[in-house]
Amino acid sequence: MRYVSTRGSAPGLGFADTVLAGLATDGGLYVPASWPSLPGSLPASYADLAAAVFAPFVDGEIDPATMQRLCGEAYSTFRHPDVVPLVELEPGHHLMELFHGPTLAFKDVALQLLGRLFDHILAERDERITIVGATSGDTGGAAIDGVLGCDRVDVVILYPHGRVSDVQRRQMTTVAADNVRTVAVDGTFDDCQDLVKAMFNHVEFRTRHNLSAINSINWARVMVQVVYYVEATRRLGAVDVTVPTGNFGNVLSGWIARRMGAPIRHLVVASNDNDILTRFFESHEMITRAVVPTLSPSMDIQVSSNFERLLFEMNGRDGGLTAEQMATFRATGRLAVESDQWHEWVEPVFRAGRATDHDTLETIRRVHESTGMLLDPHTAVGVKAAREHLGDLPMVTMATAHPAKFPDAVERATGVRPALPAHLADLMDRPERTARVANDLASVEAFVEAFVAGR
Ligand SMILES: *Cc1c(COP(=O)(O)O)cnc(C)c1O
C-alpha cells in the first residue's frame, strides 16, 4: 500500500514512512492510494479485529504476528474487557464508551498503539525521535501515556500555563518517566501550537533532534480509530453513528469504516458553539469564525484539519485542486463545494447537529435524572445531536471522555462530582514536575536541546 498526499506534490510513501512523517512535505495529509475492503470474517477479540482491519494498510511492512502482539499490548491497558463497551442509553440509542484507556479520553485508543508502533519501527531502523506537541488538554496526557516504556521515543509536551484543567495538567505533570517532559508556556494554546510549528519550520533544529509529531493529522491515528466503528456494526448490524467532533479525525475514521464496507448509514457530526462543521453541513459552505471557549474544550476548534482528507475524495482525488482550495480557504476563510459533489458525497452520508453550553448541561442533567448515568460534556453534545436524528436503525453515540475528566461541568449539571477511577484516585496528591518557560522560541528550543542532550 502506498500513501499519497492530499495536495498532490509530496512523494508517495509506504506505511512506516507515512507514520513517521506525520504531515506531508507539501503541507498535505497522507491517505492510502486506494481504500481496501473489510475482511470477510471479523475476529471476535478487539485486538485481533484491529490487526485484521490494519492488515491491508500496513501491507506487510510490519509482519502480521508483530502487529497482533502490539495490538494485544495496547488494548490490555484498557480497564474494560470489551475495550470499547456498548451501553444502552435509551431504547435504540447506544453509547460506545471510548474512555476506558489510561487517560480517560478516546485519544488513548489510537495513542496507546501509536507509541508501540513508533518504537517498533524505530528499533528496526536503529533510530530515535523526539516528539514535540502542543495540547489544549486531552492529547498531551494520552500522548505521554502512549510513549511510556518506549525506548526510542522522547516526548516534550507544551501546554498553556493556567489554561488546562487540574485533572488534565496532573495527568501530564505527575508522570515521572525519563523520556517525558512537560512545559508550561506563558501564553495560550495557539501560542504553544505556533511554537511547535516554528520548531518544525526550523529545519536545522528539526533534523538535528529528529523531531516528530503525533497530532491528529497523523494517518495512523485515523486508521486506528476505524476499528471501533467496525466493532459497533459487528455487534449491532446496520447503524447510524453520532460523533462529538473537533478536528474531524474521529468522524473521518467512521467515514473510512463505511467506505470499507461497514454497514453505517448516517454519520451525525455534533458540534458545540464552535459549529463551523455543522454550518457547513447545513449550508454547503465552510466559513471560519473566532473560537469561543465552551464546556467541551476538546471541541473548541474552528479549522478541522482532517476535513482535508474528505475534501480530497470529493475532488476526485485531485491534489492540485485540493491544494488550491486549501490556499483559498486560508486566505479568505471560505470554502464552498459544488452541488454535484454535495449530492454524491455529503447528502447520502452526513447529518449534523449542535449543542450550546446550556443544551450540554440540560442533557447531562436529564440523562442523570432518568438513567443515573453521568455523561461528560463532549458526550452530552453528541447525545443531544443524536436524539434529533434517531431513525429506524440503532443509533450509536461515541462517548469520547469519562465524566471524571470534566468534573466541574458534571457537578454543575447534576450536583454529583464524578470520582476518578481507581488507577487515578490519588492523582490530586501525586507530586508534579513541570518547567515554566517564556512564550519565546529560543527559550523553548533551549529546553528541548538540554533535555535531548541528557538522554
Ligand atoms: C479530541 C476530542 C474530541 C474531538 O475529536 P476530533 O477527532 O478532533 O474530532 C471530542 N471529545 C473529546 C473528549 C476529545 O478529547
Side-chain angles (χ1 to χ4, degrees):
M1 177 69 81
R2 302 295 289 174
Y3 290 81
V4 298
S5 165
T6 51
R7 298 194 190 173
S9 52
L13 300 176
F15 176 75
D17 286 323
T18 299
V19 173
L20 291 183
L23 199 69
T25 50
D26 58 5
L29 311 186
Y30 278 109
V31 290
S34 62
W35 296 111
S37 297
L38 290 174
S41 76
L42 302 174
S45 95
Y46 189 83
D48 292 350
L49 176 66
V53 170
F54 302 154
F57 293 118
V58 178
D59 199 16
E61 284 196 28
I62 298 174
D63 73 87
T66 303
M67 268 318 275
Q68 199 139 6
R69 176 174 59 77
L70 296 176
C71 292
E73 286 171 12
Y75 297 119
S76 69
T77 66
F78 279 58
R79 298 180 311 284
H80 195 286
D82 291 346
V83 182
V84 288
L86 276 170
V87 176
E88 193 165 52
L89 177 69
E90 54 207 358
H93 186 183
H94 308 258
L95 296 180
M96 184 163 238
E97 295 184 346
L98 303 177
F99 53 69
H100 292 280
T103 74
L104 314 183
F106 88 96
K107 293 182 172 74
D108 286 327
V109 179
L111 288 167
Q112 283 296 313
L113 184 63
L114 207 56
R116 290 168 168 85
L117 215 49
F118 267 112
D119 221 33
H120 175 79
I121 295 169
L122 293 165
E124 290 213 312
R125 298 180 176 198
D126 194 21
E127 287 173 15
R128 300 186 62 82
I129 54 167
T130 304
I131 289 169
V132 179
T135 187
S136 61
D138 290 338
T139 304
I144 287 172
D145 206 282
V147 303
L148 284 183
C150 288
D151 296 329
R152 294 173 174 273
V153 183
D154 297 323
V155 64
V156 180
I157 298 290
L158 276 52
Y159 64 92
H161 178 72
R163 290 172 199 249
V164 300
S165 80
D166 288 347
V167 173
Q168 288 174 327
R169 186 191 69 250
R170 285 180 159 274
Q171 282 183 321
M172 298 188 277
T173 58
T174 61
V175 175
D178 290 343
N179 66 332
V180 173
R181 289 293 183 275
T182 58
V183 181
V185 174
D186 284 308
T188 64
F189 169 62
D190 288 329
D191 293 327
C192 295
Q193 230 174 358
D194 288 346
L195 286 166
V196 170
K197 279 188 203 147
M199 271 184 277
F200 277 88
N201 288 334
H202 184 178
V203 176
E204 187 276 326
F205 186 82
R206 182 183 69 197
T207 316
R208 192 151 44 87
H209 298 303
N210 226 352
L211 296 194
S212 189
I214 47 172
N215 47 10
S216 75
I217 48 95
N218 191 302
W219 161 251
R221 282 185 62 175
V222 174
M223 174 190 82
V224 174
Q225 294 165 178
V226 170
V227 180
Y228 48 76
Y229 289 89
V230 178
E231 172 74 350
T233 60
R234 194 171 65 79
R235 293 207 223 150
L236 295 172
V239 292
D240 294 324
V241 184
T242 300
V243 190
T245 300
N247 235 332
F248 205 73
N250 198 355
V251 66
L252 180 79
S253 299
W255 181 85
I256 294 169
R258 188 183 190 277
R259 182 72 184 71
M260 293 173 76
I264 296 168
R265 182 177 58 183
H266 294 148
L267 288 162
V268 182
V269 176
S271 310
N272 61 24
D273 274 325
N274 299 291
D275 61 348
I276 182 169
L277 287 166
T278 300
R279 286 183 280 117
F280 170 74
F281 287 116
E282 287 168 353
S283 73
H284 308 202
E285 207 181 18
M286 197 169 283
I287 303 173
T288 50
R289 289 186 190 157
V291 175
V292 295
T294 72
L295 295 174
S296 39
S298 301
M299 295 159 62
D300 291 348
I301 289 174
Q302 274 298 350
V303 177
S304 302
S305 337
N306 266 298
F307 184 79
E308 183 168 339
R309 288 189 162 110
L310 181 66
L311 186 65
F312 179 64
E313 300 293 333
M314 292 168 74
N315 287 336
R317 299 199 140 218
D318 182 335
L321 178 57
T322 308
E324 247 170 61
Q325 282 181 322
M326 292 310 296
T328 309
F329 182 52
R330 198 168 35 229
T332 65
R334 286 176 103 85
L335 178 91
V337 300
E338 305 293 334
S339 72
D340 55 338
Q341 291 176 306
W342 184 269
H343 290 300
E344 182 177 355
W345 295 97
V346 179
E347 208 282 321
V349 187
F350 292 99
R351 299 290 179 271
R354 65 167 68 71
T356 63
D357 276 354
H358 175 77
D359 298 330
T360 301
L361 292 169
E362 269 301 292
T363 304
I364 297 174
R365 186 181 67 76
R366 292 208 185 142
V367 165
H368 182 246
E369 223 170 61
S370 58
T371 69
M373 291 170 66
L374 294 174
L375 302 181
D376 100 280
H378 305 77
T379 305
V381 170
V383 165
K384 197 261 181 184
R387 283 174 166 170
E388 291 162 2
H389 293 278
L390 294 177
D392 53 336
L393 292 180
M395 174 66 83
V396 176
T397 295
M398 292 299 175
T400 51
H402 191 289
K405 198 150 191 184
F406 299 93
D408 296 335
V410 176
E411 186 174 19
R412 205 170 128 194
T414 64
V416 179
R417 197 162 179 88
L420 285 163
H423 76 287
L424 292 171
D426 65 344
L427 183 69
M428 293 304 174
D429 306 319
R430 293 181 194 167
E432 291 191 77
R433 172 185 68 179
T434 193
R436 179 98 177 257
V437 175
N439 174 15
D440 154 67
L441 183 61
S443 309
V444 177
E445 284 191 347
F447 180 89
V448 173
E449 185 102 46
F451 171 45
V452 175
R455 293 286 297 148

